[in-house]
């Protein structure tokens, strides 16, 4: 049995606590919850009764001896800080996405995890989606050949101004540390590399800040990446488009997969493109291409519950993790790189210059609207 | 009756001559053909008989008094030169795409056309395609609202190495002046702006030269453009991908059009996005979106024959041109800008620095493989 403490009872934390309280995670028990907001703790008592301990302070909960692991569902900036403290106490950790706001703090979190040796996972629930699992399977097994081009248009994260106006921390450098990249796109940024196994070499991005919404962070992004193997990729995101697009295309030397509207299309070459090219004699010949129907389990998969279960199983039975916490840094580095490339109007090489990114971010935090509105001295 | 002289009897020139000889263009008559290759002239006599005059020299044909207009279907570099000579003789001109290889020469051609006052058209046959005409109609009439984002993935111009090996001029700086942009993509580069009415402000592109084929010019391109109205666009092309993609997405404040696989999908917002955004109160609300079935004439339209007919009608009856020759510079400038941005690893502003582009191109021509192979002194 894994006794779980929930840190943060916002939208996601409450949902995860509910899942645990309903007994939907085998072996996982909601043992305690923690939030600085007394009203949220009152609501927790109403929902979960006195059996679930309540804490206003995370440190106190972690020191209580009542829990074996924590789920961290606080604002982004606090994810690494809290995780590091949990690791110091030998607790298992499941952190909500994003892993953090800048890779420097996430690297420290990963180091703390390695030192602790406890089970560390991240809530990349889209990794349970059969569509993306199948794509990764096709890539990993070589069915797509060597990947040459990726393209994700993810513009269906529509958010009206009223969304941004609902919290002074929203879409500010101080409160969130970014916009569509840090808040809406962590799943796609993770899946982009997780499904394709592609390693970025350098990136050039074009972010627009407060273009379509009255916010200080990015609400439109176009990024171009060059991978270590010479392949290229494009990533396009915005929160201001309706109806948006969610279309992920991956082309390899053996064919092409497109995931769009919850469906996968797979076209496969009979012989690989380089092989065809090497032997072809006609001027306008093309490789024979098959339209393949790949069986993909219907539905979106177990999602959040699946990650909670997998993390619990990993802690109790050593089950391999679907979303190791250490993986969080990859998507975040892409996100940081896109901002840095825009700020410097230049290429960003991988791994990124973490100190430089942090300096640039801190300069923006110092000027952040939220700071100004709250009268905080920069 | 318009007496037409065909300059160049390669693939396209022969096809156009055949169309005219079959009497498929009302009012248009194939009066003469011209090619430096005697074998091609022999073949022309077999096909068209002695009624159609044959010339080895374009100047001679243009001076013969036997023709009222010329169709120019020679290698790219010669398009403007020949057109300028035709205009000097008061002839009507229909030029094959691309308009030329660099905008400086095309600008001179456009100036000569203006001075001549004859009818000048370009073989942008895809402008007769009902799908793209409908898209332009939707944009022009305001049905899509203000355009915010365009995205064209045009990677289905598959060309094997054998294609490139079929002529020493192919895919060389000296012979063609470019690769997928100048040879395969002129139609898409034209339609990209013609259908959307968008004016590029600046562009950043990433071309790869001889990446997947043994050629010296570009065989993969990713370009990002920022438009004058603040919108953005992406253009992706390669000749090395199978199965390729041909998907054109245009998003405006009133909806989204996607043209793919010869079909148009149109989704339209009940109220425009900015209007919805200004009045929306919910955090996760989205504008109501309708799936609209727009009637689009089936088939690809009259294509080359349609442009031949339209040019003939314009010369004989003053019919407005579907593809004015002067328009050729726009797509070419996009293509030149993409190369220049890659060569300089920097932004390119519109209008581009034509002299700089030409200098850069000439440096590559001087080093061109074709030059070297033919022993031409650089």
């Amino acid at each position: 049995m894994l006794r779980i403490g929930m840190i943060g009872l916002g939208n996601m934390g409450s949902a995860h606590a509910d899942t645990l309280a309903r007994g939907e995670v085998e072996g996982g028990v909601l043992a305690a919850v923690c939030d600085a907001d007394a009203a949220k703790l009152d609501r927790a008592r109403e929902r979960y009764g006195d059996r679930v301990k309540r804490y206003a302070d995370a440190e106190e909960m972690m020191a209580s001896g009542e829990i074996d692991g924590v789920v961290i569902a606080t604002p982004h900036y606090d994810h690494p800080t809290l995780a590091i403290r949990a690791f110091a106490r030998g607790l298992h950790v499941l952190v909500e996405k994003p892993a953090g706001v800048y890779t420097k703090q996430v690297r420290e979190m990963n180091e703390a995890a390695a030192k602790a040796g406890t089970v560390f996972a991240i809530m990349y629930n889209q990794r349970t989606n059969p569509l993306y699992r199948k794509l990764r399977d096709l890539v990993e097994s070589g069915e797509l050949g060597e990947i040459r081009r990726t393209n994700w248009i993810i513009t269906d994260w529509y958010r009206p101004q009223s969304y941004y106006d609902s919290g002074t921390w929203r879409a500010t450098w101080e409160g969130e540390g970014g916009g569509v990249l840090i808040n809406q796109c962590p799943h796609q940024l993770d899946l982009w590399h997780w499904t394709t196994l592609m390693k970025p070499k350098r990136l050039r991005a074009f972010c627009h800040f407060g273009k379509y919404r009255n916010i200080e962070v990015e609400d439109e992004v176009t990024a171009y990446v060059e991978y270590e193997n010479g392949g290229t990729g494009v990533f396009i995101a915005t929160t201001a488009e309706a109806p948006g697009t969610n279309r992920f295309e991956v082309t390899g030397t053996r064919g092409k997969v497109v995931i769009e509207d919850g469906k996968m299309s797979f076209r496969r070459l009979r012989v690989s493109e380089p092989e065809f090219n090497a032997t072809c004699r006609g001027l306008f010949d093309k490789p024979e291409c098959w339209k393949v129907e790949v069986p993909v389990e219907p539905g979106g998969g177990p999602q959040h519950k699946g990650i909670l279960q997998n993390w619990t199983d990993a802690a109790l039975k050593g089950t391999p993790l679907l979303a190791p916490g250490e993986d969080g840094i990859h998507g975040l580095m892409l996100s940081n790189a896109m901002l840095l490339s825009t700020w410097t109007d230049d290429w960003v090489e991988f791994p990124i210059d973490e100190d430089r990114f942090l300096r640039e971010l801190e300069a923006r935090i110092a000027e952040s609207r939220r700071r100004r509105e709250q009268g905080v001295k920069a």
Side-chain angles (χ1 to χ4, degrees), chain A residues 201-206 223-227 232-233 337-350 352-353 356:
Chain A
K201 188 165 181 284
R202 62 174 191 163
L203 175 150
R204 191 71 178 80
F206 314 96
Y224 165 77
V225 64
E226 291 180 356
Y227 297 109
T232 63
M338 290 178 193
L339 288 173
L340 189 58
S341 172
T342 304
W343 290 337
T344 59
D345 196 12
D346 203 355
W347 290 99
V348 168
E349 309 274 336
F350 285 80
I352 68 166
D353 181 339
R356 180 160 191 201

PDB file of all heavy atoms in Angstrom, chain A residues 201-206 223-227 232-233 337-350 352-353 356:
ATOM      1  N   LYS A 201      19.167  19.127 -32.127  1.00  0.00           N
ATOM      2  CA  LYS A 201      20.541  19.617 -32.142  1.00  0.00           C
ATOM      3  C   LYS A 201      20.539  21.143 -31.984  1.00  0.00           C
ATOM      4  O   LYS A 201      21.258  21.691 -31.193  1.00  0.00           O
ATOM      5  CB  LYS A 201      21.190  19.238 -33.481  1.00  0.00           C
ATOM      6  CG  LYS A 201      22.660  19.496 -33.577  1.00  0.00           C
ATOM      7  CD  LYS A 201      23.238  18.741 -34.793  1.00  0.00           C
ATOM      8  CE  LYS A 201      24.732  18.954 -34.933  1.00  0.00           C
ATOM      9  NZ  LYS A 201      25.050  20.291 -35.483  1.00  0.00           N
ATOM     10  N   ARG A 202      19.709  21.787 -32.788  1.00  0.00           N
ATOM     11  CA  ARG A 202      19.572  23.230 -32.617  1.00  0.00           C
ATOM     12  C   ARG A 202      18.172  23.652 -33.047  1.00  0.00           C
ATOM     13  O   ARG A 202      17.480  22.907 -33.762  1.00  0.00           O
ATOM     14  CB  ARG A 202      20.635  24.001 -33.396  1.00  0.00           C
ATOM     15  CG  ARG A 202      20.594  23.821 -34.887  1.00  0.00           C
ATOM     16  CD  ARG A 202      21.593  24.752 -35.568  1.00  0.00           C
ATOM     17  NE  ARG A 202      21.375  24.764 -37.016  1.00  0.00           N
ATOM     18  CZ  ARG A 202      21.862  25.695 -37.834  1.00  0.00           C
ATOM     19  NH1 ARG A 202      22.593  26.682 -37.356  1.00  0.00           N
ATOM     20  NH2 ARG A 202      21.616  25.638 -39.128  1.00  0.00           N
ATOM     21  N   LEU A 203      17.797  24.824 -32.626  1.00  0.00           N
ATOM     22  CA  LEU A 203      16.408  25.261 -32.808  1.00  0.00           C
ATOM     23  C   LEU A 203      16.350  26.766 -33.062  1.00  0.00           C
ATOM     24  O   LEU A 203      17.166  27.524 -32.560  1.00  0.00           O
ATOM     25  CB  LEU A 203      15.656  24.885 -31.530  1.00  0.00           C
ATOM     26  CG  LEU A 203      14.213  25.289 -31.303  1.00  0.00           C
ATOM     27  CD1 LEU A 203      13.522  24.250 -30.414  1.00  0.00           C
ATOM     28  CD2 LEU A 203      14.126  26.648 -30.632  1.00  0.00           C
ATOM     29  N   ARG A 204      15.374  27.138 -33.872  1.00  0.00           N
ATOM     30  CA  ARG A 204      15.123  28.566 -34.143  1.00  0.00           C
ATOM     31  C   ARG A 204      13.629  28.752 -33.969  1.00  0.00           C
ATOM     32  O   ARG A 204      12.837  28.050 -34.613  1.00  0.00           O
ATOM     33  CB  ARG A 204      15.549  28.867 -35.588  1.00  0.00           C
ATOM     34  CG  ARG A 204      15.599  30.332 -35.924  1.00  0.00           C
ATOM     35  CD  ARG A 204      16.755  31.031 -35.240  1.00  0.00           C
ATOM     36  NE  ARG A 204      16.811  32.445 -35.625  1.00  0.00           N
ATOM     37  CZ  ARG A 204      16.031  33.390 -35.092  1.00  0.00           C
ATOM     38  NH1 ARG A 204      15.166  33.093 -34.150  1.00  0.00           N
ATOM     39  NH2 ARG A 204      16.136  34.640 -35.500  1.00  0.00           N
ATOM     40  N   ALA A 205      13.258  29.657 -33.097  1.00  0.00           N
ATOM     41  CA  ALA A 205      11.826  29.812 -32.824  1.00  0.00           C
ATOM     42  C   ALA A 205      11.400  31.267 -32.886  1.00  0.00           C
ATOM     43  O   ALA A 205      12.216  32.186 -32.779  1.00  0.00           O
ATOM     44  CB  ALA A 205      11.488  29.217 -31.472  1.00  0.00           C
ATOM     45  N   PHE A 206      10.100  31.428 -33.084  1.00  0.00           N
ATOM     46  CA  PHE A 206       9.496  32.738 -33.259  1.00  0.00           C
ATOM     47  C   PHE A 206       8.259  32.805 -32.374  1.00  0.00           C
ATOM     48  O   PHE A 206       7.187  32.347 -32.761  1.00  0.00           O
ATOM     49  CB  PHE A 206       9.149  32.952 -34.733  1.00  0.00           C
ATOM     50  CG  PHE A 206      10.282  32.550 -35.647  1.00  0.00           C
ATOM     51  CD1 PHE A 206      10.316  31.292 -36.242  1.00  0.00           C
ATOM     52  CD2 PHE A 206      11.358  33.401 -35.847  1.00  0.00           C
ATOM     53  CE1 PHE A 206      11.375  30.902 -37.043  1.00  0.00           C
ATOM     54  CE2 PHE A 206      12.429  33.020 -36.652  1.00  0.00           C
ATOM     55  CZ  PHE A 206      12.438  31.775 -37.250  1.00  0.00           C
ATOM     56  N   ALA A 223       8.189  27.095 -34.221  1.00  0.00           N
ATOM     57  CA  ALA A 223       9.567  26.685 -33.961  1.00  0.00           C
ATOM     58  C   ALA A 223      10.030  25.705 -35.023  1.00  0.00           C
ATOM     59  O   ALA A 223       9.266  24.863 -35.493  1.00  0.00           O
ATOM     60  CB  ALA A 223       9.681  26.048 -32.581  1.00  0.00           C
ATOM     61  N   TYR A 224      11.297  25.841 -35.373  1.00  0.00           N
ATOM     62  CA  TYR A 224      11.933  24.952 -36.340  1.00  0.00           C
ATOM     63  C   TYR A 224      13.115  24.290 -35.641  1.00  0.00           C
ATOM     64  O   TYR A 224      13.924  24.976 -35.016  1.00  0.00           O
ATOM     65  CB  TYR A 224      12.413  25.772 -37.544  1.00  0.00           C
ATOM     66  CG  TYR A 224      13.380  25.051 -38.447  1.00  0.00           C
ATOM     67  CD1 TYR A 224      12.936  24.085 -39.350  1.00  0.00           C
ATOM     68  CD2 TYR A 224      14.748  25.322 -38.406  1.00  0.00           C
ATOM     69  CE1 TYR A 224      13.829  23.421 -40.178  1.00  0.00           C
ATOM     70  CE2 TYR A 224      15.643  24.663 -39.233  1.00  0.00           C
ATOM     71  CZ  TYR A 224      15.176  23.709 -40.122  1.00  0.00           C
ATOM     72  OH  TYR A 224      16.059  23.046 -40.937  1.00  0.00           O
ATOM     73  N   VAL A 225      13.190  22.973 -35.740  1.00  0.00           N
ATOM     74  CA  VAL A 225      14.268  22.271 -35.062  1.00  0.00           C
ATOM     75  C   VAL A 225      15.044  21.416 -36.051  1.00  0.00           C
ATOM     76  O   VAL A 225      14.485  20.886 -37.014  1.00  0.00           O
ATOM     77  CB  VAL A 225      13.697  21.408 -33.898  1.00  0.00           C
ATOM     78  CG1 VAL A 225      12.790  20.316 -34.416  1.00  0.00           C
ATOM     79  CG2 VAL A 225      14.805  20.804 -33.048  1.00  0.00           C
ATOM     80  N   GLU A 226      16.338  21.339 -35.841  1.00  0.00           N
ATOM     81  CA  GLU A 226      17.169  20.396 -36.595  1.00  0.00           C
ATOM     82  C   GLU A 226      17.644  19.332 -35.623  1.00  0.00           C
ATOM     83  O   GLU A 226      18.158  19.657 -34.544  1.00  0.00           O
ATOM     84  CB  GLU A 226      18.350  21.123 -37.256  1.00  0.00           C
ATOM     85  CG  GLU A 226      17.874  22.040 -38.375  1.00  0.00           C
ATOM     86  CD  GLU A 226      18.988  22.805 -39.092  1.00  0.00           C
ATOM     87  OE1 GLU A 226      20.157  22.692 -38.669  1.00  0.00           O
ATOM     88  OE2 GLU A 226      18.684  23.515 -40.065  1.00  0.00           O
ATOM     89  N   TYR A 227      17.442  18.079 -36.015  1.00  0.00           N
ATOM     90  CA  TYR A 227      17.783  16.973 -35.135  1.00  0.00           C
ATOM     91  C   TYR A 227      19.207  16.494 -35.372  1.00  0.00           C
ATOM     92  O   TYR A 227      19.809  16.772 -36.413  1.00  0.00           O
ATOM     93  CB  TYR A 227      16.812  15.815 -35.362  1.00  0.00           C
ATOM     94  CG  TYR A 227      15.382  16.138 -35.022  1.00  0.00           C
ATOM     95  CD1 TYR A 227      14.415  16.290 -36.017  1.00  0.00           C
ATOM     96  CD2 TYR A 227      14.973  16.278 -33.694  1.00  0.00           C
ATOM     97  CE1 TYR A 227      13.089  16.569 -35.708  1.00  0.00           C
ATOM     98  CE2 TYR A 227      13.654  16.568 -33.384  1.00  0.00           C
ATOM     99  CZ  TYR A 227      12.714  16.709 -34.394  1.00  0.00           C
ATOM    100  OH  TYR A 227      11.413  16.983 -34.088  1.00  0.00           O
ATOM    101  N   THR A 232      14.452  17.307 -39.670  1.00  0.00           N
ATOM    102  CA  THR A 232      13.961  18.619 -39.242  1.00  0.00           C
ATOM    103  C   THR A 232      12.548  18.491 -38.670  1.00  0.00           C
ATOM    104  O   THR A 232      11.847  17.512 -38.931  1.00  0.00           O
ATOM    105  CB  THR A 232      13.913  19.610 -40.420  1.00  0.00           C
ATOM    106  OG1 THR A 232      12.976  19.134 -41.397  1.00  0.00           O
ATOM    107  CG2 THR A 232      15.276  19.783 -41.061  1.00  0.00           C
ATOM    108  N   GLY A 233      12.155  19.485 -37.916  1.00  0.00           N
ATOM    109  CA  GLY A 233      10.819  19.467 -37.336  1.00  0.00           C
ATOM    110  C   GLY A 233      10.259  20.863 -37.174  1.00  0.00           C
ATOM    111  O   GLY A 233      11.010  21.834 -37.089  1.00  0.00           O
ATOM    112  N   ALA A 337      14.109  26.618 -24.913  1.00  0.00           N
ATOM    113  CA  ALA A 337      14.880  26.943 -26.118  1.00  0.00           C
ATOM    114  C   ALA A 337      14.075  27.840 -27.060  1.00  0.00           C
ATOM    115  O   ALA A 337      14.618  28.751 -27.692  1.00  0.00           O
ATOM    116  CB  ALA A 337      15.294  25.663 -26.843  1.00  0.00           C
ATOM    117  N   MET A 338      12.777  27.591 -27.151  1.00  0.00           N
ATOM    118  CA  MET A 338      11.935  28.402 -28.044  1.00  0.00           C
ATOM    119  C   MET A 338      11.869  29.854 -27.561  1.00  0.00           C
ATOM    120  O   MET A 338      11.944  30.792 -28.358  1.00  0.00           O
ATOM    121  CB  MET A 338      10.542  27.796 -28.140  1.00  0.00           C
ATOM    122  CG  MET A 338      10.533  26.474 -28.898  1.00  0.00           C
ATOM    123  SD  MET A 338       8.875  25.727 -28.949  1.00  0.00           S
ATOM    124  CE  MET A 338       9.286  24.057 -29.515  1.00  0.00           C
ATOM    125  N   LEU A 339      11.743  30.024 -26.260  1.00  0.00           N
ATOM    126  CA  LEU A 339      11.737  31.387 -25.722  1.00  0.00           C
ATOM    127  C   LEU A 339      13.106  32.039 -25.920  1.00  0.00           C
ATOM    128  O   LEU A 339      13.201  33.181 -26.383  1.00  0.00           O
ATOM    129  CB  LEU A 339      11.378  31.358 -24.228  1.00  0.00           C
ATOM    130  CG  LEU A 339       9.929  31.028 -23.888  1.00  0.00           C
ATOM    131  CD1 LEU A 339       9.749  30.875 -22.383  1.00  0.00           C
ATOM    132  CD2 LEU A 339       8.980  32.096 -24.416  1.00  0.00           C
ATOM    133  N   LEU A 340      14.149  31.300 -25.585  1.00  0.00           N
ATOM    134  CA  LEU A 340      15.501  31.864 -25.666  1.00  0.00           C
ATOM    135  C   LEU A 340      15.859  32.262 -27.101  1.00  0.00           C
ATOM    136  O   LEU A 340      16.443  33.321 -27.339  1.00  0.00           O
ATOM    137  CB  LEU A 340      16.515  30.846 -25.121  1.00  0.00           C
ATOM    138  CG  LEU A 340      17.948  31.344 -24.939  1.00  0.00           C
ATOM    139  CD1 LEU A 340      18.006  32.555 -24.009  1.00  0.00           C
ATOM    140  CD2 LEU A 340      18.842  30.216 -24.388  1.00  0.00           C
ATOM    141  N   SER A 341      15.481  31.420 -28.054  1.00  0.00           N
ATOM    142  CA  SER A 341      15.754  31.732 -29.456  1.00  0.00           C
ATOM    143  C   SER A 341      15.050  33.018 -29.870  1.00  0.00           C
ATOM    144  O   SER A 341      15.603  33.843 -30.599  1.00  0.00           O
ATOM    145  CB  SER A 341      15.301  30.564 -30.343  1.00  0.00           C
ATOM    146  OG  SER A 341      15.377  30.919 -31.709  1.00  0.00           O
ATOM    147  N   THR A 342      13.829  33.189 -29.385  1.00  0.00           N
ATOM    148  CA  THR A 342      13.085  34.407 -29.716  1.00  0.00           C
ATOM    149  C   THR A 342      13.728  35.618 -29.050  1.00  0.00           C
ATOM    150  O   THR A 342      13.936  36.652 -29.690  1.00  0.00           O
ATOM    151  CB  THR A 342      11.628  34.281 -29.226  1.00  0.00           C
ATOM    152  OG1 THR A 342      11.059  33.100 -29.790  1.00  0.00           O
ATOM    153  CG2 THR A 342      10.807  35.494 -29.640  1.00  0.00           C
ATOM    154  N   TRP A 343      14.057  35.474 -27.780  1.00  0.00           N
ATOM    155  CA  TRP A 343      14.640  36.612 -27.045  1.00  0.00           C
ATOM    156  C   TRP A 343      15.974  37.032 -27.644  1.00  0.00           C
ATOM    157  O   TRP A 343      16.304  38.215 -27.683  1.00  0.00           O
ATOM    158  CB  TRP A 343      14.837  36.225 -25.568  1.00  0.00           C
ATOM    159  CG  TRP A 343      13.555  36.082 -24.816  1.00  0.00           C
ATOM    160  CD1 TRP A 343      12.352  36.654 -25.122  1.00  0.00           C
ATOM    161  CD2 TRP A 343      13.339  35.314 -23.610  1.00  0.00           C
ATOM    162  NE1 TRP A 343      11.406  36.285 -24.189  1.00  0.00           N
ATOM    163  CE2 TRP A 343      11.983  35.469 -23.250  1.00  0.00           C
ATOM    164  CE3 TRP A 343      14.156  34.516 -22.802  1.00  0.00           C
ATOM    165  CZ2 TRP A 343      11.423  34.860 -22.125  1.00  0.00           C
ATOM    166  CZ3 TRP A 343      13.601  33.914 -21.677  1.00  0.00           C
ATOM    167  CH2 TRP A 343      12.247  34.080 -21.345  1.00  0.00           C
ATOM    168  N   THR A 344      16.755  36.071 -28.078  1.00  0.00           N
ATOM    169  CA  THR A 344      18.077  36.395 -28.618  1.00  0.00           C
ATOM    170  C   THR A 344      18.040  36.566 -30.131  1.00  0.00           C
ATOM    171  O   THR A 344      19.034  36.945 -30.728  1.00  0.00           O
ATOM    172  CB  THR A 344      19.089  35.286 -28.278  1.00  0.00           C
ATOM    173  OG1 THR A 344      18.614  34.041 -28.837  1.00  0.00           O
ATOM    174  CG2 THR A 344      19.246  35.119 -26.772  1.00  0.00           C
ATOM    175  N   ASP A 345      16.886  36.295 -30.740  1.00  0.00           N
ATOM    176  CA  ASP A 345      16.739  36.339 -32.194  1.00  0.00           C
ATOM    177  C   ASP A 345      17.867  35.550 -32.853  1.00  0.00           C
ATOM    178  O   ASP A 345      18.518  36.019 -33.788  1.00  0.00           O
ATOM    179  CB  ASP A 345      16.729  37.789 -32.690  1.00  0.00           C
ATOM    180  CG  ASP A 345      16.183  37.899 -34.126  1.00  0.00           C
ATOM    181  OD1 ASP A 345      15.616  36.901 -34.628  1.00  0.00           O
ATOM    182  OD2 ASP A 345      16.326  38.976 -34.740  1.00  0.00           O
ATOM    183  N   ASP A 346      18.082  34.347 -32.358  1.00  0.00           N
ATOM    184  CA  ASP A 346      19.215  33.554 -32.835  1.00  0.00           C
ATOM    185  C   ASP A 346      18.932  32.062 -32.629  1.00  0.00           C
ATOM    186  O   ASP A 346      17.964  31.676 -31.984  1.00  0.00           O
ATOM    187  CB  ASP A 346      20.464  33.953 -32.030  1.00  0.00           C
ATOM    188  CG  ASP A 346      21.757  33.622 -32.781  1.00  0.00           C
ATOM    189  OD1 ASP A 346      21.703  33.017 -33.862  1.00  0.00           O
ATOM    190  OD2 ASP A 346      22.821  33.986 -32.252  1.00  0.00           O
ATOM    191  N   TRP A 347      19.805  31.255 -33.180  1.00  0.00           N
ATOM    192  CA  TRP A 347      19.754  29.819 -32.948  1.00  0.00           C
ATOM    193  C   TRP A 347      20.005  29.506 -31.474  1.00  0.00           C
ATOM    194  O   TRP A 347      20.743  30.238 -30.800  1.00  0.00           O
ATOM    195  CB  TRP A 347      20.845  29.106 -33.750  1.00  0.00           C
ATOM    196  CG  TRP A 347      20.633  29.097 -35.228  1.00  0.00           C
ATOM    197  CD1 TRP A 347      21.219  29.930 -36.134  1.00  0.00           C
ATOM    198  CD2 TRP A 347      19.804  28.212 -35.979  1.00  0.00           C
ATOM    199  NE1 TRP A 347      20.796  29.618 -37.403  1.00  0.00           N
ATOM    200  CE2 TRP A 347      19.923  28.560 -37.337  1.00  0.00           C
ATOM    201  CE3 TRP A 347      18.952  27.152 -35.634  1.00  0.00           C
ATOM    202  CZ2 TRP A 347      19.241  27.902 -38.353  1.00  0.00           C
ATOM    203  CZ3 TRP A 347      18.272  26.488 -36.642  1.00  0.00           C
ATOM    204  CH2 TRP A 347      18.412  26.858 -37.975  1.00  0.00           C
ATOM    205  N   VAL A 348      19.453  28.391 -31.031  1.00  0.00           N
ATOM    206  CA  VAL A 348      19.788  27.861 -29.713  1.00  0.00           C
ATOM    207  C   VAL A 348      20.264  26.429 -29.915  1.00  0.00           C
ATOM    208  O   VAL A 348      19.574  25.621 -30.544  1.00  0.00           O
ATOM    209  CB  VAL A 348      18.569  27.897 -28.763  1.00  0.00           C
ATOM    210  CG1 VAL A 348      18.838  27.076 -27.518  1.00  0.00           C
ATOM    211  CG2 VAL A 348      18.249  29.337 -28.390  1.00  0.00           C
ATOM    212  N   GLU A 349      21.458  26.145 -29.404  1.00  0.00           N
ATOM    213  CA  GLU A 349      22.008  24.787 -29.515  1.00  0.00           C
ATOM    214  C   GLU A 349      21.579  23.959 -28.305  1.00  0.00           C
ATOM    215  O   GLU A 349      21.390  24.497 -27.215  1.00  0.00           O
ATOM    216  CB  GLU A 349      23.545  24.842 -29.548  1.00  0.00           C
ATOM    217  CG  GLU A 349      24.151  25.807 -30.553  1.00  0.00           C
ATOM    218  CD  GLU A 349      24.319  25.192 -31.942  1.00  0.00           C
ATOM    219  OE1 GLU A 349      24.416  23.948 -32.045  1.00  0.00           O
ATOM    220  OE2 GLU A 349      24.346  25.956 -32.928  1.00  0.00           O
ATOM    221  N   PHE A 350      21.496  22.645 -28.502  1.00  0.00           N
ATOM    222  CA  PHE A 350      21.176  21.754 -27.380  1.00  0.00           C
ATOM    223  C   PHE A 350      22.429  21.047 -26.893  1.00  0.00           C
ATOM    224  O   PHE A 350      23.242  20.644 -27.730  1.00  0.00           O
ATOM    225  CB  PHE A 350      20.134  20.709 -27.808  1.00  0.00           C
ATOM    226  CG  PHE A 350      18.755  21.296 -27.913  1.00  0.00           C
ATOM    227  CD1 PHE A 350      18.383  22.021 -29.026  1.00  0.00           C
ATOM    228  CD2 PHE A 350      17.848  21.133 -26.876  1.00  0.00           C
ATOM    229  CE1 PHE A 350      17.123  22.583 -29.125  1.00  0.00           C
ATOM    230  CE2 PHE A 350      16.581  21.691 -26.978  1.00  0.00           C
ATOM    231  CZ  PHE A 350      16.217  22.412 -28.093  1.00  0.00           C
ATOM    232  N   ILE A 352      20.747  23.516 -23.974  1.00  0.00           N
ATOM    233  CA  ILE A 352      20.726  24.980 -23.945  1.00  0.00           C
ATOM    234  C   ILE A 352      21.626  25.522 -22.836  1.00  0.00           C
ATOM    235  O   ILE A 352      21.992  24.800 -21.907  1.00  0.00           O
ATOM    236  CB  ILE A 352      19.295  25.520 -23.749  1.00  0.00           C
ATOM    237  CG1 ILE A 352      18.778  25.191 -22.339  1.00  0.00           C
ATOM    238  CG2 ILE A 352      18.351  24.981 -24.808  1.00  0.00           C
ATOM    239  CD1 ILE A 352      17.539  25.972 -21.959  1.00  0.00           C
ATOM    240  N   ASP A 353      21.945  26.785 -22.961  1.00  0.00           N
ATOM    241  CA  ASP A 353      22.704  27.492 -21.928  1.00  0.00           C
ATOM    242  C   ASP A 353      21.714  27.845 -20.812  1.00  0.00           C
ATOM    243  O   ASP A 353      21.005  28.841 -20.879  1.00  0.00           O
ATOM    244  CB  ASP A 353      23.326  28.751 -22.546  1.00  0.00           C
ATOM    245  CG  ASP A 353      24.160  29.540 -21.555  1.00  0.00           C
ATOM    246  OD1 ASP A 353      23.957  29.375 -20.331  1.00  0.00           O
ATOM    247  OD2 ASP A 353      25.003  30.328 -22.004  1.00  0.00           O
ATOM    248  N   ARG A 356      22.012  31.244 -19.027  1.00  0.00           N
ATOM    249  CA  ARG A 356      21.571  32.363 -19.843  1.00  0.00           C
ATOM    250  C   ARG A 356      20.044  32.436 -19.870  1.00  0.00           C
ATOM    251  O   ARG A 356      19.464  33.516 -19.756  1.00  0.00           O
ATOM    252  CB  ARG A 356      22.117  32.218 -21.266  1.00  0.00           C
ATOM    253  CG  ARG A 356      21.669  33.368 -22.132  1.00  0.00           C
ATOM    254  CD  ARG A 356      22.510  33.582 -23.361  1.00  0.00           C
ATOM    255  NE  ARG A 356      22.153  34.862 -23.961  1.00  0.00           N
ATOM    256  CZ  ARG A 356      22.394  35.170 -25.225  1.00  0.00           C
ATOM    257  NH1 ARG A 356      23.033  34.314 -25.999  1.00  0.00           N
ATOM    258  NH2 ARG A 356      22.032  36.344 -25.706  1.00  0.00           N
TER     259      ARG A 356
END
